[in-house]
Amino acid sequence: MGKVTGFLEIDRQVAKYQPASDRVRHFKEFTIPMSDSEVVKQAARCMDCGIPFCHGPTGCPIHNQIPDWNDLVYNDNWEEAIRNLHSTNNFPEFTGRICPAPCEEACTLNLEDIPVAIKTVEQALADKAYEMGYVVPQPPERKTGKSVGVIGSGPAGMAAAQQLGRAGHDVHVYERESRAGGLMRYGIPDFKMEKHFIDRRVEQMEGEGVTFHYNVHVGVDKTVDELRDAHDAVIYCGGSEKPRDAGIPGVEFVGVHDAMPYLVQQNKRVAGEAVESVGWPSEPILASGRHVVVVGGGDTASDCIGTAFRQGAVKVTQLDIRPQPPVREDKMAVWPYWATKMRTSSSQAEGAVREFQVGTLEFVGESGVLAGVKCCQVDEKRQPVAGTEFIIKADLAFIAIGFRGPFENGVLKDLGDRLDIDVDGRSSTNVRANEDDYRTSVEGLWAAGDVRRGQSLVVWAIREGRQAAHDVDKQLMGSTDLPR
């Protein structure tokens, strides 16, 4: 906890944004950092609530000890605070920027709609730790002589690799792309998280003995069997990248795209990389001067909206099949769980037109080119309401309705062809492994992150990477000191 009476004396404040008219002119982060004194005040609001739901099963998936490091920040002990935060979270500068903060939903003060600004404090603490030189490589005191291969360098792969490297194993990370980060680098726009934060973590991990191998498409350039022969254990930490099939007529028109190729391309442009990417189309997708429609109501849809505005879109309309949620949830019915309520992302606030309870009937076009999106109102069962059809002008449309698993080429094809790996019942491609030990049906192969769990949050990927590393270390050494 922070100051005993802090929640009574200090108003909730979070970091402010640059005005929308300014931030849409660039792809850099637009959050205005709070001063140290303001952060300390917000940490002081953490109350002695008795049961801290914020870091229990309803709040933080990695069980950040939020009251503890809030108290340390309040007492100006930044070094011990980041040490505490790092004990549960390898990458707080990532989660402090892009986690939706279920911890704040679970905060006791959220019963009054004034939760502790946990996410703001976490980001400020992580950035302050770098500023003060507290984040340095932590190489192991001794080497174990064991070798571990990690397939994929997203948050799950990075977390697993860092934990195992610090345990003394020789860790090798195999990444399909030219840089580390997975969809955290190539799917999340720079205006939400600039990628130098990933680069400096990679530099830290390399200082701890982790080796990164880029442009290695496992299953194509190197087989899984080759990795199993080269290492004592292998962890598959791929992402969930295969878009769900929308089943909307007209997807073949020029101008209709899945969301992820669009986001990957722009992130590569910002980074100065070629837009070509394994598994994605390479023709340029740009929204400048276009009327854009985004089908879907989640985070990926919001990322498409923000990217389109920055590219110079004339108008962006978002179609959400769900009914418009209430502005305020029934606290007594849902707290401390994540509530369904009206939420407006920074991208939506930049000028998007939001249509709720609208179904997408078909994409319409002329001479093979998109010209509009035919829509209608839907009922509570998401069925079309007769006589409510209308057409929205569009010459560019993005389908952002989620993902159904990893690409079937590469690792999964290799595993299926050669090793007959078990997959779960939710998808033909999610690898079956439980949350106790993360072991797959293939000897010496573990799976963690979206490839096992399905599409999820960065914070869940970090949790799974850490827990898989715990079991791998225990399997290799007979016991482990790694936290679970």
Side-chain angles (χ1 to χ4, degrees), residues 293 362 364 371-376 388-394:
V293 170
E362 65 176 312
V364 296
V373 181
K374 186 177 181 180
C375 312
C376 69
T388 63
E389 296 84 1
F390 60 98
I391 293 179
I392 299 175
K393 177 181 179 180

Side-chain angles (χ1 to χ4, degrees), residues 164 465-475 480 482-484:
L164 290 165
R466 286 171 62 92
Q467 292 186 337
H470 169 95
D471 193 76
V472 168
D473 187 46
K474 184 167 64 175
Q475 177 74 6
T480 180
L482 292 178
R484 191 178 189 281

Side-chain angles (χ1 to χ4, degrees), residues 262 264-273 275 284-286 311:
Y262 176 58
V264 170
Q265 279 195 13
Q266 184 55 41
N267 283 353
K268 289 197 166 194
R269 287 191 194 95
V270 172
E273 297 184 54
V275 298
I285 309 171
L286 294 166
Q311 289 182 345

Side-chain angles (χ1 to χ4, degrees), residues 195-433:
K195 303 311 182 285
H196 63 84
F197 295 109
I198 301 174
D199 295 333
R200 68 185 185 186
R201 279 296 179 183
V202 169
E203 184 179 353
Q204 180 197 29
M205 292 171 64
E206 289 174 337
E208 296 168 349
V210 176
T211 303
F212 288 83
H213 304 269
Y214 299 115
N215 298 308
V216 178
H217 191 183
V218 177
V220 177
D221 304 319
K222 187 182 290 288
T223 68
V224 177
D225 272 344
E226 288 178 304
L227 263 62
R228 293 170 69 221
D229 290 341
H231 303 289
D232 297 292
V234 177
I235 310 179
Y236 180 22
C237 296
S240 183
E241 305 169 273
K242 189 170 184 178
R244 287 183 180 144
D245 184 5
I248 303 172
V251 293
E252 72 280 0
F253 286 125
V254 174
V256 180
H257 304 273
D258 288 314
M260 196 52 65
Y262 176 58
L263 298 175
V264 170
Q265 279 195 13
Q266 184 55 41
N267 283 353
K268 289 197 166 194
R269 287 191 194 95
V270 172
E273 297 184 54
V275 298
E276 289 81 7
S277 184
V278 177
W280 304 115
S282 58
E283 66 272 13
I285 309 171
L286 294 166
S288 51
R290 304 286 190 91
H291 288 77
V292 179
V293 170
V294 180
V295 180
D299 291 338
T300 302
S302 283
D303 293 344
C304 288
I305 292 168
T307 300
F309 279 131
R310 282 159 180 76
Q311 289 182 345
V314 173
K315 182 180 180 181
V316 181
T317 304
Q318 181 180 17
L319 306 180
D320 195 330
I321 199 169
R322 301 170 296 182
Q324 183 168 332
V327 173
R328 190 178 191 273
E329 73 275 27
D330 181 351
K331 301 288 185 180
M332 292 298 100
V334 298
W335 180 87
Y337 298 96
W338 185 262
T340 298
K341 61 182 177 182
M342 188 66 174
R343 302 175 192 270
T344 301
S345 71
S346 60
S347 293
Q348 292 164 336
E350 288 164 1
V353 176
R354 302 172 70 181
E355 298 282 356
F356 289 98
Q357 211 162 344
V358 168
T360 305
L361 296 176
E362 65 176 312
F363 298 107
V364 296
E366 300 173 1
S367 304
V369 178
L370 178 69
V373 181
K374 186 177 181 180
C375 312
C376 69
Q377 298 294 319
V378 297
D379 60 23
E380 63 277 3
K381 295 182 179 180
R382 300 187 177 183
Q383 297 302 307
V385 176
T388 63
E389 296 84 1
F390 60 98
I391 293 179
I392 299 175
K393 177 181 179 180
D395 37 29
L396 188 62
F398 299 112
I399 302 171
I401 58 172
F403 307 89
R404 63 183 185 90
F407 285 133
E408 294 173 356
N409 63 336
V411 178
L412 280 172
K413 186 176 188 305
D414 187 43
L415 287 169
D417 289 349
R418 301 154 64 88
L419 300 170
D420 194 28
I421 193 169
D422 289 347
V423 294
D424 66 24
R426 295 170 297 161
S427 155
S428 61
T429 56
N430 286 341
V431 175
R432 184 185 298 279

